[in-house]
Amino acid sequence: MPSEKDQPILVPILGDQLTRTLASLRGRTKDDTVVLMMEVMDEATYVKHHKQKIVLIFSAMRHFAAELEDAGWTVDYVRLDDDGNAGSFTGEVARAVEEHDPRAIHVVEAGEWRVQQQMEEWADKFDCEVEILPDDRFVCPIAEFREWADGREAHLTMESFYRDMRRKTGLLMNEDGKPAGGDWNFDKDNREPPPKDGLDPPPRPTFEPDDITREVIELVEDRFGDHFGSLESFEWPVTRDQAEKAADAFLSERLEKFGPYEDAMVHGQDDLYHSILSTSLNLGLLDPIDLCERAEKLYRDGKAPINSVEGFVRQIIGWREYIRGFYWYHMPHLQKANALNAQRGLPEFFWTGETDMRCLADCIRSTRDNAHAHHIQRLMVLGNFCLLAGIDPSEVQDWYLVVYADAYEWVELPNVAAMILYADGGKLATKPYAASGNYINKMSDYCKECTYSVSKKTGEGSCPFNSLYWHFMDRHRDRLESNHRVGRVYATWDRMGDEKKDAYRDTAQAFLDGLTPAGPDYAR
């Protein structure tokens, strides 16, 4: 039997932990460490992830493993189609324990609740020490968020949390302790619609698949051919070097106009001035604080406006950190939240894209082709429709988790259940993000060539968002009327005559009755 000094430390690294400075690697020596990386069927199929998402994660994992090996680490890499692959994280850790006889397992806490539950069982399953380390790639540890949130359960507003993170990091803070630019939030400057003559953003950098990625593409087409999405064009960064090139391009070419047009939507223009860095951030290929510091330097040097830089920083140390903390604070109950008792099945067109609603068709096309849509498309077109139509939160959650390459449950579930669907009853959002066709018309060019008329409120040919909005407000009056941010809407409703109200109700109901539900086979 080997002595303890001959037994290695086993370091499992998950697919969203592709960071050379990961807590489980820091302080380890290469001669007594075995890194374990696992492609397992459980993770590829607990929902039917978009083909590009599976390619992205597996390819990034394989590239990261090769980098570790080149740097002298011992890597036990299990491919999906390897003989004996157990199909689960726990099964593969068990095989590695048997093969390597480690004296201990050091692993960074999981990003998703269900995986963390598996990890916490390892100490009882394996005859060695198991140490689960905090994921310190985030600014706010889970325990710190819990301490912040305790006593504020009714409304955990992001703005106050964000200001705390600004103070903690010093980002965009002046020496006198006041926020740079004289204000904490420049959102009021970041709501420009696209100009009538259009927008001309520079293209984001794309990355031609190499041999490793092409091999993964073949694997995914063979094993997951029935999953949603297209692999005709796979252009995501899969290494840190590629991710850094994407970040450099955003900061130098698109950050300046990111702020004003971050809520704008243009048919057929999928990226506009957005960073498209969330996939790399969530894989661990980019350092969030480093990105924020680089953006801040551009502001300090007079090369980028405060509203764009603050908006970008807020997305990362505000919204991203807040959403993660909110997820862990409310799990596992958040998975089943349905405060509005939404029961309707997800329409089939969310998978096929076959709808005459031009805004939805374009967002779904981008989602299918790119595994991406920007945040306003996700919230105010796709999500707004699901909210107004009363779609079952579990089906909406599955859809968002399937279709977006940056979607992990910790970021997807709070955004969908709480922000989009108000299924948590208002713990995250101070009001439902419900809007009629007017908002989409104001912030996009979708409506001008749509089959439906956004100016027509009811009846045949009217924009469905218009009647669905009032149908939603009417059926949830008892819950929403006392909300100070919503209550005045009902004064408008009450001024309408009964005939007009009935027209809204009847038009919406006829539209809803005509929807074809997708059924469960698309997602699971």
Side-chain angles (χ1 to χ4, degrees), residues 80-102:
L80 188 76
D81 50 3
D82 282 350
D83 290 340
N85 187 321
S88 68
F89 286 147
T90 297
E92 280 307 309
V93 172
R95 287 210 309 155
V97 167
E98 182 176 355
E99 179 177 351
H100 301 292
D101 189 23

Side-chain angles (χ1 to χ4, degrees), residues 50-243:
H50 195 297
K51 294 174 188 176
Q52 287 193 33
K53 183 179 182 181
I54 301 175
V55 172
L56 172 65
I57 295 173
F58 283 2
S59 177
M61 288 173 63
R62 293 186 185 189
H63 282 90
F64 186 73
E67 291 172 10
L68 290 179
E69 289 176 330
D70 288 346
W73 294 91
T74 299
V75 180
D76 181 354
Y77 193 96
V78 182
R79 294 188 173 207
L80 188 76
D81 50 3
D82 282 350
D83 290 340
N85 187 321
S88 68
F89 286 147
T90 297
E92 280 307 309
V93 172
R95 287 210 309 155
V97 167
E98 182 176 355
E99 179 177 351
H100 301 292
D101 189 23
R103 67 181 185 273
I105 297 170
H106 291 179
V107 64
V108 169
E109 64 190 354
E112 297 192 348
W113 188 84
R114 62 182 179 79
V115 179
Q116 185 67 15
Q117 304 316 296
Q118 297 174 35
M119 277 188 185
E120 291 176 359
E121 295 175 352
W122 291 355
D124 294 330
K125 290 181 179 292
F126 306 128
D127 190 21
C128 63
E129 173 197 349
V130 176
E131 184 175 2
I132 301 175
L133 304 166
D135 190 347
D136 55 12
R137 298 174 300 168
F138 290 88
V139 175
C140 184
I142 294 169
E144 182 179 320
F145 185 92
R146 185 171 296 279
E147 182 179 350
W148 175 85
D150 282 344
R152 311 184 192 204
E153 290 91 342
H155 293 290
L156 304 178
T157 56
M158 193 277 284
E159 184 64 27
S160 60
F161 173 82
Y162 167 55
R163 294 183 186 190
D164 286 348
M165 293 302 101
R166 289 271 294 276
R167 296 184 185 100
K168 179 177 181 177
T169 61
L171 287 163
L172 291 177
M173 298 297 295
N174 295 333
E175 291 183 2
D176 61 2
K178 295 181 179 179
D183 208 343
W184 292 99
N185 185 320
F186 291 85
D187 204 33
K188 63 184 183 300
D189 299 323
N190 291 349
R191 296 170 181 158
E192 290 294 320
K196 291 183 178 180
D197 57 353
L199 292 169
D200 187 26
R204 66 180 170 100
T206 57
F207 303 92
E208 185 72 21
D210 62 7
D211 290 343
I212 292 175
T213 301
R214 283 193 290 270
E215 185 178 18
V216 176
I217 289 173
E218 291 179 7
L219 169 73
V220 170
E221 286 284 29
D222 179 56
R223 299 294 292 274
F224 307 105
D226 64 334
H227 284 214
F228 178 78
S230 169
L231 282 173
E232 290 183 11
S233 177
F234 181 89
E235 301 172 332
W236 291 105
V238 294
T239 67
R240 179 176 175 82
D241 285 348
Q242 290 179 345

Side-chain angles (χ1 to χ4, degrees), residues 23 36 64 81 90 237 278 323 341 343 373 520:
L36 173 65
F64 186 73
D81 50 3
T90 297
S278 54
I323 281 291
N341 193 31
Q343 302 292 337

Side-chain angles (χ1 to χ4, degrees), residues 430-504:
T430 55
K431 70 177 183 69
Y433 276 80
S436 70
N438 288 338
Y439 176 87
I440 297 170
N441 188 39
K442 175 185 175 183
M443 296 306 300
S444 78
D445 66 351
Y446 286 140
C447 301
K448 65 182 181 181
E449 295 182 20
C450 186
T451 299
Y452 298 99
S453 170
V454 71
S455 62
K456 190 173 183 182
K457 304 305 182 184
T458 59
E460 186 177 354
S462 62
C463 172
F465 278 101
N466 292 335
S467 57
L468 289 174
Y469 173 79
W470 287 112
H471 191 272
F472 171 83
M473 300 306 297
D474 182 36
R475 70 180 187 267
H476 293 298
R477 181 168 191 159
D478 288 347
R479 172 178 284 275
L480 299 179
E481 188 172 17
S482 61
N483 185 313
H484 71 281
R485 296 193 66 194
V486 178
R488 62 184 180 274
V489 169
Y490 291 103
T492 301
W493 177 251
D494 289 342
R495 287 194 296 270
M496 296 181 193
D498 289 342
E499 185 176 349
K500 188 173 184 179
K501 290 179 183 178
D502 286 343
Y504 276 120

